[in-house]
Amino acid sequence: SKREGFATIPDVSWDDIGALATVREELQTAIVDPIQNPERYAAVGISAPTGVLLWGPPGCGKTLLAKAVAAESKANFISIKGPELLNKYVGESEAAVRRVFMRARSSVPCVIFFDELDALVPRRDDSISEASGRVVNMLLTELDGLSARAGIYVIGATNRPDIIDDAMMRPGRLETRLFVDLPGPQERVEILKALIRNKPIPADIAEIARLDVCHGYSGADLESLIRKAGQHALKRQMDRVEKQDFEFAVQAIKGSVGSMDKYYK
Ligand code: ATP
């Protein structure tokens, strides 16, 4: 079920996601509710939004959020990394974009997740090649062809919203932009709690993520922390992870998100 580009319902729920409460609520309203109750939108005479853009530093839960949206909506999930659609042969990239939407139409309701969207829809300025321009146009055309009633929703993700073509963010396209922030001390604890939820690891260990040594940790770094602690426990010939294993692990792992400056414009 992990193969990229194929439609399946992911097994991620809101409970698997720590912190990010505001973003979760906004996604619930923007996508999950409309998929579940399209008639409520029709009744008040408006169309539900068809897309959102998640942006923020790497490893902070954008992919996880997109999967949870699909799972909570009981919708199929098609995951595409922007660069993998790019092909040097003339017309191939546009054809690949078109095939993604065709596949989505045959598996509605469906959430299409475009990770690294900036690679697919760079800002159309003087430096952009004719070929990339055609890919941008094709994606815009497909987005404009969607209506919420058709049951296809698009979630884009990027670390660099500043280099995405503005036309992507117009009304009716990915008009809602949600910032997925690097976690602070309390949020790191919540994320670690979510990550060890179904594991034989004492829940109070999550408090360690509050420490200053964890400054700059992303959710992905917290996942590495668990692995590192587990490896340390095995090395000590233990059959359970203990606090001291996590104490070792926080010293060994450095936050991967250094300066946040580039994420605030
Ligand atoms: P990228 O920009 O690199 O694609 P991303 O923002 O999409 O990153 P994810 O792939 O969602 O990040 O997160 C990577 C891993 O980190 C997840 O599989 C999960 O284990 C963990 N993780 C990140 N954020 C959270 C969170 N808020 N709650 C629980 N786990 C998280």
Side-chain angles (χ1 to χ4, degrees):
S1 74
K2 287 279 145 58
R3 280 202 297 169
E4 298 265 352
F6 286 81
T8 49
I9 299 179
D11 56 357
V12 174
S13 79
W14 289 140
D15 291 341
D16 293 313
I17 302 178
L20 300 173
T22 311
V23 180
R24 280 187 278 168
E25 275 162 36
E26 300 206 49
L27 288 170
Q28 176 77 37
T29 314
I31 307 188
V32 181
D33 291 343
I35 292 185
Q36 289 176 334
N37 310 296
E39 70 287 352
R40 296 188 53 207
Y41 287 78
V44 296
I46 60 170
S47 56
T50 50
V52 300
L53 180 69
L54 301 176
W55 69 283
C60 289
K62 295 183 293 296
T63 305
L64 206 57
L65 284 162
K67 285 183 177 169
V69 163
E72 296 282 345
S73 320
K74 298 189 179 55
N76 287 302
F77 186 69
I78 295 180
S79 179
I80 305 290
K81 278 202 196 328
E84 74 191 18
L85 294 187
L86 299 178
N87 187 301
K88 62 184 166 149
Y89 294 105
V90 176
E92 270 307 304
S93 305
E94 298 100 288
V97 169
R98 222 168 29 229
R99 277 197 299 274
V100 169
F101 283 86
M102 268 166 54
R103 218 179 314 134
R105 280 191 287 275
S106 67
S107 40
V108 289
C110 186
V111 171
I112 309 176
F113 178 60
F114 285 103
D115 202 359
E116 301 176 48
L117 184 67
D118 45 280
L120 214 53
V121 281
R123 185 181 297 286
R124 287 169 297 179
D125 58 20
D126 298 340
S127 67
I128 189 178
S129 73
E130 204 187 310
S132 332
R134 282 199 303 267
V135 176
V136 177
N137 288 333
M138 177 54 73
L139 197 69
L140 294 175
T141 303
E142 289 289 353
L143 283 176
D144 291 344
L146 297 182
S147 77
R149 269 187 321 163
I152 299 174
Y153 295 79
V154 175
I155 300 180
T158 182
N159 307 319
R160 295 289 309 274
D162 55 309
I163 58 170
I164 288 182
D165 197 84
D166 289 330
M168 278 302 287
M169 268 77 92
R170 300 251 170 80
R173 296 172 182 164
L174 306 190
E175 58 178 293
T176 311
R177 253 167 75 140
L178 301 175
F179 181 45
V180 182
D181 205 352
L182 183 70
Q186 173 61 27
E187 293 154 330
R188 291 195 299 265
V189 174
E190 289 167 21
I191 293 171
L192 191 52
K193 265 192 193 141
L195 287 172
I196 63 178
R197 196 166 63 97
N198 296 316
K199 292 189 159 79
I201 299 173
D204 59 351
I205 273 178
E207 275 301 317
I208 198 161
R210 202 184 297 280
L211 300 179
D212 282 347
V213 283
C214 300
H215 178 80
Y217 274 28
S218 64
D221 294 328
L222 290 165
E223 200 180 19
S224 306
L225 186 72
I226 297 171
R227 200 171 315 114
K228 192 67 132 194
Q231 285 163 350
H232 191 252
L234 290 176
K235 209 155 137 202
R236 296 195 302 119
Q237 309 291 335
M238 303 298 290
D239 55 11
R240 290 203 82 97
V241 189
E242 292 175 347
K243 196 166 173 214
Q244 67 172 95
D245 300 308
F246 275 83
E247 282 162 355
F248 168 83
V250 291
Q251 296 304 330
I253 290 171
K254 203 178 158 326
S256 62
V257 183
S259 166
M260 282 294 288
D261 294 351
K262 65 178 170 183
Y263 298 108
Y264 294 98
K265 292 187 296 125

